[in-house]
Amino acid sequence: MSGDPRTVVRKFLARPQHEGAGAVVRRSIGRFELKYFDPFLVLDEFSITAPAGFPDHPHRGFETVTYMLQGAVTHEDFEGHKGTIEAGDLQWMTAGRGIVHSEMPASNGTQKGLQLWINLSDRHKMIEPRYQEIASTNIAEASEDGVTVRIIAGESLGIQSPIYTRTPTMFLDFTLEPGAYMQQPVPESWNAFVYVLEGEGVFGKSRSSSTTAHHLLLLGPGDRLMAWNKSSKMLRFILVGGEPIGQPVVQWGPFVMNTQEEIDQTIQDFENFENGFEKARYWRSEATQ
Ligand SMILES: Nc1ccc(F)c(C(=O)c2c[nH]c3ncc(Cl)cc23)c1F
Ligand SMILES: [Fe+3]
């Protein structure tokens, strides 16, 4: 690698806030200090205990990536697609022209996970909805010198995820043993961030300070991330990068388009059950009945 390692340019502590129906999320991307980090719209570390959850709601114009950390979430949509996302499982949902679904706790106790919202370019915003779902046991994993990486999207240690990312994206789940060090290439033209899940780590070229759980680190220019675990406990974090789309973003809750007129049309489509929302007219999820 001929370029420079990336440095940490901004650091945010994601504090709990209420979302959905009684759900608690730690929102890092999508909060007022960081409304949009192209192509990323939202990063939520969510925690839900029944009866709280995310009952019937729509999406248009982007993708949701749900990666379970603890427990399980049951999802069902207006096309009859339903299932349970267990701990370690991945659901990559391309809402495209429109999805209406519910995402609710699948069992008692607290369900925890991450949900990342990835914007779609204008040419993909109205494509047919699609799911890519991988069970935990089928998620590619590699280990080397005290570093274990689960390849959710993109490539690491010579292993490529099967997930097709319309907006080119990498999503890697790293665990470093005490004393371990990692280096991961990141395309120089991509925006990239780290979100710490557990432990304490030192990130970036300057190795200035350590970072603990629930913190998001925006990375500056460079061709790779370096990280160290100088603590006596395990360090776990995700490294996410994406190719900026560079188009206008007009968002109204779960609708993300390029112009206000397209948002007005989307709201009309949803209210009139048209242009992709036809099946929302009579559908209600079982989870919320
Ligand atoms: N207010 C609001 C508006 C629109 C939404 F789509 C949602 C929503 O469904 C979620 C937002 N964060 C999430 N983390 C995890 C899961 Cl499983 C779902 C969500 C929501 F909460
Ligand atoms: Fe949703």
Side-chain angles (χ1 to χ4, degrees), residues 126-204:
M126 295 299 281
I127 61 175
E128 282 304 308
R130 179 193 175 195
Y131 291 90
Q132 299 177 81
E133 294 165 314
I134 309 181
S136 185
T137 51
N138 296 326
I139 289 181
E141 189 170 300
S143 294
E144 190 175 278
D145 301 332
V147 177
T148 297
V149 54
R150 301 185 88 228
I151 298 109
I152 307 302
E155 178 180 344
S156 184
L157 296 182
I159 297 176
Q160 175 72 42
S161 161
I163 292 287
Y164 171 61
T165 60
R166 278 161 198 75
T167 302
T169 302
M170 67 192 308
F171 188 135
L172 302 171
D173 175 0
F174 282 97
T175 301
L176 272 63
E177 294 173 5
Y181 153 77
M182 62 72 79
Q183 209 171 186
Q184 169 64 40
V186 180
E188 291 196 71
S189 61
W190 287 19
N191 283 334
F193 65 86
V194 162
Y195 186 77
V196 180
L197 295 172
E198 181 189 339
E200 184 172 351
V202 175
F203 298 88

Side-chain angles (χ1 to χ4, degrees), residues 200-243:
E200 184 172 351
V202 175
F203 298 88
K205 177 182 168 186
S206 58
R207 286 183 271 176
S208 53
S209 62
S210 65
T211 302
T212 54
H214 314 309
H215 282 86
L216 181 117
L217 303 175
L218 289 190
L219 302 178
D223 69 354
R224 61 192 185 278
L225 171 72
M226 298 160 70
W228 292 262
N229 181 0
K230 298 181 177 180
S231 76
S232 57
K233 296 178 182 168
M234 297 298 273
L235 166 65
R236 184 179 180 190
F237 63 91
I238 59 169
L239 167 61
V240 177
E243 185 176 78

Side-chain angles (χ1 to χ4, degrees), residues 18-21 23-25 27 42-48 53-55 57-59 62 64-66 68 73-75 85 91 101-104 113-117 251-255:
H18 291 287
E19 281 293 337
V24 174
V25 304
R27 180 162 293 172
V42 166
L43 176 66
D44 279 349
E45 182 184 1
F46 66 89
S47 175
I48 50 178
F54 303 95
H57 60 277
H59 293 282
F62 62 100
T64 65
V65 180
T66 305
M68 286 308 293
V73 158
T74 296
H75 69 92
I85 313 169
Q91 181 194 66
H101 72 166
S102 64
E103 298 157 293
M104 300 298 285
L114 298 173
Q115 189 165 96
L116 175 69
W117 292 12
Q251 180 173 358
W252 188 85
F255 302 141

Side-chain angles (χ1 to χ4, degrees), residues 74-93:
T74 296
H75 69 92
E76 50 180 302
D77 77 10
F78 65 169
E79 293 279 359
H81 183 93
K82 61 176 71 171
T84 300
I85 313 169
E86 310 272 356
D89 294 356
L90 171 75
Q91 181 194 66
W92 199 289
M93 182 185 81

Side-chain angles (χ1 to χ4, degrees), residues 235-263:
L235 166 65
R236 184 179 180 190
F237 63 91
I238 59 169
L239 167 61
V240 177
E243 185 176 78
I245 293 172
Q247 295 179 350
V249 174
V250 180
Q251 180 173 358
W252 188 85
F255 302 141
V256 182
M257 302 304 284
N258 295 107
T259 66
Q260 186 56 49
E261 292 70 26
E262 290 169 342
I263 287 290

